[in-house]
Amino acid sequence: ILSKTEKEIDDLIAKIQKHQNGLEIMIDEKDELDLEKQYRNKHRELILATTIYFQDYRALKTKLFDFISTILKKEKNKRLLN
């Protein structure tokens, strides 16, 4: 699960960097309406993808914390009984 999450963030970072490199389309003085619209749409997609990633990451982090807490509690109970 962790390697999948790591790959997802690497892919997302690569997409964001590529998107950032295309920022010139938005700040140049040329009126390239189609390209600017595509850039804005891609920007929205990246915002959504980033939001989904962080929601999934938080859920995974919570599950891992709960899992580790359960294990530690069981280990503590075993030590107390012995």
Side-chain angles (χ1 to χ4, degrees), residues 30-62:
K30 300 175 188 173
D31 283 334
E32 300 169 313
L33 301 179
D34 288 340
L35 290 176
E36 290 174 8
K37 184 177 181 179
Q38 288 174 4
Y39 188 87
R40 284 191 302 273
N41 288 339
K42 185 65 174 176
H43 193 77
R44 287 184 193 102
E45 289 173 16
L46 289 171
I47 289 171
L48 180 61
T50 303
T51 301
I52 291 169
Y53 172 81
F54 280 112
Q55 288 172 345
D56 292 346
Y57 177 77
R58 282 187 205 108
L60 175 62
K61 198 167 129 179
T62 301

Side-chain angles (χ1 to χ4, degrees), residues 7 17 26 29 53 63 70-71 80:
K7 179 165 178 17
Q17 287 173 339
M26 298 301 288
E29 301 280 326
Y53 172 81
K63 286 179 185 177
T70 302
I71 291 172
L80 290 175

Side-chain angles (χ1 to χ4, degrees), residues 5-34:
T5 302
E6 187 176 351
K7 179 165 178 17
E8 286 175 358
I9 193 63
D10 289 343
D11 291 345
L12 187 57
I13 288 171
K15 288 177 184 178
I16 290 170
Q17 287 173 339
K18 182 179 176 185
H19 182 69
Q20 183 179 2
N21 293 340
L23 184 60
E24 187 175 326
I25 292 169
M26 298 301 288
I27 59 174
D28 64 8
E29 301 280 326
K30 300 175 188 173
D31 283 334
E32 300 169 313
L33 301 179
D34 288 340

